[in-house]
Amino acid sequence: MTYYIESLDTVVPESDTEVVLVDVTTKVRGEQVTVTNVAERRYQKTGEVVFDQKLDDERLEAVYRAYAKVHHLVYQDEIKLIRHKIGISQRGFATLLGLSRASIEQYETGNLPTTSASRRIAMLRNVNAFIIDQLFAVSDQTVYSRQDLRVLMQWHNQVQLAVERVRPVRHADKIDFDFEMPASMLPHGAETTFEVKTDGNQIILRPIQ
């Protein structure tokens, strides 16, 4: 493999270059971001920085990941994990969240999501069936593929089953609810409080986020 040396306007073999670890500071969305121990290729004779596509991509990812961490943005690997856990396509995931398919594709390949998009995606971080079903209910269900509809209806059926299992136990001044629910339907590591409304004889149970 050869590398182009701009100052010499020539190419040199890889053996004439070396990879060193440096600290890099660059701007992301107008903000200075510093990452440490980033690999950089240099020409050994002069110390000139040499363009290396692979290392350049790794540096950009490190900078974006650092920015995402500081600003609590979901990043590409987490976005993919959430979508895969739900079990739907990029188009279905975008429709569920009210985002464009192009945006989801870009986010999953390393582009930083906007703050608002990140917040919407983060709502599904715990893959909560109630939240999935609520988003599904208000989304445009005509654009889902058959497979995505099948998966989302399975989540919907889980919620309906959980609600049907509610058994009210009446006390003098309150109603307690005793019901079973799969642990995967609740936020991880936290208790969920439910808002209970009545519509005639029907009990409507919704999680309070």
Side-chain angles (χ1 to χ4, degrees):
M1 182 176 292
T2 59
Y3 293 91
Y4 176 70
I5 308 301
E6 186 174 2
S7 63
L8 301 177
D9 191 24
T10 188
V11 295
V12 299
E14 184 176 359
S15 59
D16 285 352
T17 70
E18 62 180 351
V19 175
V20 297
L21 298 179
V22 298
D23 296 345
V24 174
T25 299
T26 188
K27 278 191 175 182
V28 178
R29 295 180 177 174
E31 181 179 323
Q32 296 281 2
V33 178
T34 299
V35 289
T36 60
N37 295 326
V38 177
E40 182 176 84
R41 187 174 295 279
R42 293 182 179 179
Y43 181 44
Q44 291 180 347
K45 291 183 179 180
T46 64
E48 179 180 346
V49 176
V50 179
F51 175 73
D52 183 313
Q53 184 66 62
K54 180 175 181 293
L55 298 184
D56 189 61
D57 289 344
E58 290 176 356
R59 179 172 65 252
L60 184 62
E61 181 181 349
V63 169
Y64 278 4
R65 193 175 292 277
Y67 181 91
K69 183 177 181 179
V70 169
H71 292 275
H72 307 290
L73 302 178
V74 292
Y75 198 54
Q76 63 181 93
D77 44 1
E78 185 177 13
I79 296 171
K80 288 180 183 178
L81 180 61
I82 293 170
R83 181 172 65 83
H84 290 165
K85 283 185 175 181
I86 296 173
I88 55 179
S89 67
Q90 287 182 333
R91 185 178 72 174
F93 193 52
T95 302
L96 188 68
L97 293 165
L99 302 172
S100 70
R101 179 179 181 177
S103 293
I104 296 300
E105 288 177 344
Q106 291 169 5
Y107 299 157
E108 288 195 1
T109 55
N111 284 14
L112 287 170
T114 63
T115 301
S116 59
S118 178
R119 286 174 179 169
R120 291 191 68 79
I121 297 171
M123 289 192 302
L124 297 172
R125 183 172 269 145
N126 294 316
V127 195
N128 184 299
F130 281 98
I131 298 176
I132 294 171
D133 193 46
Q134 288 173 355
L135 292 173
F136 177 51
V138 298
S139 65
D140 184 356
Q141 299 181 12
T142 64
V143 301
Y144 289 108
S145 67
R146 290 184 178 180
Q147 176 59 27
D148 287 340
L149 272 176
R150 188 177 300 111
V151 170
L152 291 168
M153 284 304 301
Q154 289 174 351
W155 285 104
H156 171 74
N157 292 338
Q158 285 188 42
V159 171
Q160 293 302 305
L161 180 61
V163 172
E164 289 171 3
R165 287 177 176 174
V166 174
R167 297 187 294 274
V169 181
R170 292 186 176 275
H171 293 278
D173 58 351
K174 64 179 181 179
I175 299 178
D176 291 337
F177 290 90
D178 179 22
F179 61 95
E180 298 177 358
M181 182 180 299
S184 61
M185 297 173 64
L186 296 174
H188 178 65
E191 295 183 358
T192 296
T193 302
F194 293 92
E195 174 187 12
V196 180
K197 295 182 180 179
T198 58
D199 180 12
N201 294 323
Q202 182 181 10
I203 296 172
I204 303 172
L205 183 67
R206 300 190 185 282
I208 299 175
Q209 301 303 320

